[in-house]
Amino acid sequence: MPADSKPSVAPVKSTGLHVGKVAPGVAKVDPIIIADNVSRAFGGLKAVDVDHLEIPRGAITALIGPNGAGKTTLFNLLTGFDKPDTGTWSFDGSGLAGIPAFKVAKLGQVRTFQLTKSLGMLTVLENMKLGAKGQAGESFWKSLIPAFWRPQENEIEEKAISLLERFKLDAKRDDLAASLSGGQRKLLEMARALMSDPTLVMLDEPMAGVNPALTQSLLDHILGLKESGMTVLFVEHDMHMVRHIADWVVVMAEGRIVAEGSPEEVMNNVAVIDAYLGSHLDTDLGVVTGRIDLKEIQAADAAAKKKGSK
Amino acid sequence: MDFGFILGQTLSSLLMPETIAYAIAALGLAVHFGYGGLLNFGQAGFMAIGGYGYAISILSFGFPWWAGILVGMVASVIFALIMGLPALRLRADYLAIATIAVAEVVRLLFQSTIFDNYTNSADGLGNYHTSFREANPFPPGRYGFGPWQWSQDELWNRVFGLVVLALCVLLVWALMRSPWGRVVRGIREDEDAVRSLGKNVFAYKLQVLIVGGMLGTLGGVVMVLGSAVVPGNYLPSLTFYLWTILLLGGAATIFGPLAGSLIFWGLMSFLSVFLPALSTVGVLPFSPAQSGVLRYVFVGLALMLIVIYRPQGIFGSKKELTFNAR
Amino acid sequence: MHNHGKPLTRSPKLIRTLLTALIAGFALATFAASPAVADEVGTDEYNFIFSGNVTYQGNPLEDVLIIVEGGGYSAEVETGADGRWRVGVPTKDVYDITLVESTLPEGVIVSDEGSDRITLTDRGATIEAEFGLTGNKTVNFFLGQGERVTVPFIDQFIERLVNGLNFGLMLALASIGLSLIYGTTGISNFAHAEMVTFGAVITLTFGVHLAFPMWIAIPLAVVLSGLFGWFQDVGLWKPLRRRGLSIVQMMIVSIGLSLMLRYVYQFFYGGSTHQLPNPGSARIDGLGPIVISPTSLISMGVAIVVIVLVAYWLTYTRTGKATRAISDNASLAAATGIDVDRVVRIIWVLGSSLAGLSGILWAYFRPGIKWDMGWQILLLIFAAVVLGGLGTAYGALVGSIIVGLLVEISTLWIPSDIKYVSALTILIVVLLFRPQGILGRRERIG
């Protein structure tokens, strides 16, 4: 991955997102997500321990931090894929604590996964159609009678095809998703998320494992989401990837928010540099992240301790 | 060796009620596993529910035959809920163990002397045929030709079974081409992804368990229409034979279970006469009883070989290969 | 004649009345016409038939429970209005026929005089019966007047407790093996049941058919079981791991293997039950309420010693530690330089040896050796393993003891023909509320 990936056109940055002095947990002018006191521990290790966090609406926010900082865990908590030990959080004004993942998605907060979850044995088009909300044909009884769902199905197909064209996947529409390259799957997953017209798109490491040639187009697409009125929150562990497109950057380390601010401010922040060069530099195993990273690092730490004690 | 007899036995087995019943129950497993990705190892339990539900309704409560089938179906839905509410949250291998355990509990309870008045414990139930035979539209006589010759009752059992099979095939086809089927196949691939798209995965899995289980129940009814309900028939081996049939034909196909059942029963019947015949004429150096056992050895071997070398089955395409490590 | 250590007070003055009538062997014809009701069990399926007539002072007694057990088969029957009962059995073995005294009317008991093959237990009176030249055998009990002595609940409880412990320890040998294999390879190995049977049938082959002394036959069977495990790993499982089969595929392969092996055993050993020499029906006196045979005592001793050795091996040896490391995280273990393939092979050998040993103990516990004997307890083994937490050896031990005790003790309240139901129900409940098992960690499930 080239460290200086840039979108093809210089983006217009949103500014004036926060209220008052920039600090971890600073209030936002128009927050879409507000989280309070959210924590999650695995065994003895506190993976996430966030006192207060607000995500600004209509902007691109990057959640960055070294491996094992708890970014993906926080993501899982916010989207209902994992349950926190403590805390409350809300999306668009409605409380989300205890709400199952599928309902969170129905509310308009749609996520993608770091290890892409394209449905391999479904075609690209089927993957897309699955993303659409409120389908009559998805109810058991109505599915038996095509008259109930055929017209809607045609609309969904049109929409899917136009999105596929935008993401340059229309040529692959009848291929199985499993036959796509890693980068194409990332694009598919993002396009599929858009099928539901979400308010907030949460992307978990959209650039990880993507062919450098595709990085630029991915960045363009993320900017495109903002232009069409969506809020974007994405996880990234390479700071250099985010500075060109992010309006706001939240830095996590060891489960806590250590810094917030515009990309420029954050990159010059001492706490951030500490976070990256400090504790976890030795366990930065590359791009092995996602939901398994935490456990592996935990285990690696444990193993290292064992070795040390021998 | 009487090849005419062997061929006749084999051909005749293709239209046995068992063949039709296994095809229906295996189609249910296709819904569970092939389309929905659910590792149900308790299909024998659903079949037992069908058989007992039908027989007990008629014998103990004097219901007509069609009401017996309805009772079986309702019991099957309840059973699916009891099995599914705990088990569907589990990972694949845990689900397999849980479902096989639930099915065994059902069988042991049917076999137990506690409910002897209803189940007749280990002896099972019989003589509930009157109501069904009264509904027979075929006048008394012999029907068919060659290896397929039946009395009016035997014909009625088979025709009814085939009609049920056809309706089930139609149902599964209609479901799987619809958006509902798309969600279900999506869940098979990755349930978290489908969840992230706002679908209630648990509800879908429960629906899948119920639909597939109902087919198992219908298979169970068709199997006992003309015979008897014996608890020893509903051992876990029954479930494994259904799995062999399913994987033989192709797990995510509509006609795979039917083809698998024809092949399974054709071969089993063929071997059941061919192997003892071989040992009688001295080609095989062991007793006819031993040669009879051999075919089950082949079933086990076949199951292993299919899963290893052709997991998509004979008629499945690699496109819908369904073994995800989950 | 009291051939057991338990003091049994019976009314000393029994007014004995011989009241039973013999049913001719060829009464079959008259019975075949009558409908199959509760006083006949298995007479249609099987050709060997026990029958009898329970009467007291000339009057037939209805609804008296008779239990026929032997050769791995058991059936229960209640006498009809005419006092008669008939039970078909699959093989021409020696069977224990028990009349359950609690189902007799008040003041009527079974007399143990007049037959030297009768045993009185707290359940009732048991006659050992076998067929002569025909397939029919009449078994009658002599009823007399007397006071039934119920064994105190606590004594019954202690007896079941000891039995349950014995059964649990035997299960533990099998489930520790299954759990270790699951932990290191991820396979839910259904063919583990056939590893259990393997130990028993090999003991039968060497100990009975080839007439080796048992002290050679049994260790030999354990060693051969281990070798069978090694062979399975080399010939099947390692190549499959190399092919990259998913855990679901491997599980179904193990089901196929299980099916195949079971019928291979039936092919060679037939469908009947075989006995090992000296199953040891004698009981050790002087243990108060504890009723235990020398065989059971030895069996429990062997199981405990072996389990302690395995625990020591897992905790203190290099390979044992490596095993636990692999169970925890295989790729990490591989990264730290553990030869995963070697350890997995050792685990297959160990797990299979333990299963084989467990099969031998199971053969004495049942008693008898049958082609599907391992399969009969497979779900109990799975229940034990899941109860303790899949993949943890200590959990499997604890789970097995719980399952063993539960199965035996539950028969104090529930009929013995559904005693496995309690264990399976526990399995389902544990999966529902604590799928990681009682000793497992939540994070394992992900």
Side-chain angles (χ1 to χ4, degrees), chain C residues 185-201:
Chain C
T185 65
I187 306 169
S188 309
N189 182 24
F190 280 70
H192 204 69
E194 277 56 50
M195 309 303 299
V196 171
T197 315
F198 186 81
V201 293

Side-chain angles (χ1 to χ4, degrees), chain C residues 105 305 340:
Chain C
V305 168
V340 175

Side-chain angles (χ1 to χ4, degrees), chain A:
Chain A
M1 251 184 284
D4 56 343
S5 299
K6 281 184 195 171
S8 49
V9 183
V12 184
K13 294 286 182 101
S14 307
T15 49
L17 297 166
H18 62 286
V19 184
K21 193 175 175 291
V22 176
V26 64
K28 303 297 176 323
V29 176
D30 182 11
I32 189 163
I33 282 188
I34 305 171
D36 275 300
N37 195 25
V38 173
S39 73
R40 173 77 165 100
F42 293 110
L45 187 96
K46 238 182 187 174
V48 165
D49 189 5
V50 170
D51 294 332
H52 186 79
L53 176 66
E54 295 184 10
I55 306 293
R57 186 190 305 274
I60 299 177
T61 304
L63 183 60
I64 65 167
N67 273 319
K71 307 179 298 281
T72 297
T73 309
L74 179 62
F75 235 59
N76 288 340
L77 294 174
L78 292 180
T79 49
F81 276 85
D82 193 2
K83 298 229 179 321
D85 303 324
T86 65
T88 55
W89 66 106
S90 66
F91 166 70
D92 233 355
S94 52
L96 284 190
I99 303 285
F102 80 93
K103 283 192 182 157
V104 173
K106 272 188 175 169
L107 288 170
Q109 178 188 325
V110 174
R111 70 169 295 182
T112 67
F113 296 87
Q114 202 253 314
L115 300 163
T116 34
K117 291 187 182 293
S118 56
L119 308 166
M121 297 298 150
L122 269 60
T123 65
V124 169
L125 189 59
E126 282 178 315
N127 262 277
M128 292 296 288
K129 286 176 174 176
L130 200 56
K133 279 205 285 196
Q135 298 191 43
E138 287 184 354
S139 104
F140 179 78
W141 296 110
K142 286 184 183 160
S143 75
L144 294 171
I145 300 155
F148 280 121
W149 49 265
R150 194 65 85 191
Q152 192 190 17
E153 179 82 358
N154 294 337
E155 282 168 31
I156 290 169
E157 185 159 332
E158 266 175 43
K159 183 177 174 185
I161 289 170
S162 75
L163 268 172
L164 284 176
E165 279 164 3
R166 184 168 139 198
F167 282 82
K168 302 206 167 49
L169 286 170
D170 47 326
K172 303 258 180 196
R173 52 182 276 189
D174 295 322
D175 293 4
L176 291 183
S179 69
L180 299 181
S181 72
Q184 286 171 324
R185 281 186 222 179
K186 289 265 181 198
L187 286 174
L188 173 61
E189 213 187 349
M190 203 187 290
R192 189 177 64 194
L194 298 186
M195 282 297 289
S196 64
D197 302 317
T199 348
L200 170 63
V201 182
M202 297 177 65
L203 308 167
D204 195 352
E205 300 219 19
M207 264 79 77
V210 173
N211 171 357
L214 260 173
T215 316
Q216 191 187 6
S217 107
L218 259 164
L219 292 176
D220 284 343
H221 283 301
I222 295 173
L223 282 171
L225 301 181
K226 177 184 159 192
E227 275 159 29
S228 38
M230 288 170 238
T231 306
V232 179
L233 172 64
F234 72 102
V235 165
E236 181 50 60
H237 96 191
D238 185 345
M239 258 194 289
H240 302 283
M241 300 295 292
V242 309
R243 61 178 173 187
H244 299 294
I245 61 160
D247 302 311
W248 192 260
V249 176
V250 176
V251 187
M252 283 184 81
E254 294 178 337
R256 310 185 73 92
I257 310 254
V258 293
E260 271 194 65
S262 68
E264 292 71 28
E265 287 167 334
V266 162
M267 290 191 72
N268 298 320
N269 187 315
V270 183
V272 178
I273 295 164
D274 271 0
Y276 271 86
L277 301 177
S279 57
H280 272 292
L281 195 72
D282 54 330
T283 52
D284 191 332
L285 304 167
V287 213
V288 188
T289 47
R291 282 210 284 170
I292 49 159
D293 71 338
L294 204 123
K295 279 186 213 161
E296 291 205 347
I297 283 166
Q298 228 182 313
D301 282 352
K305 267 180 214 154
K306 252 187 213 167
K307 262 193 182 167
S309 67
K310 255 182 206 167

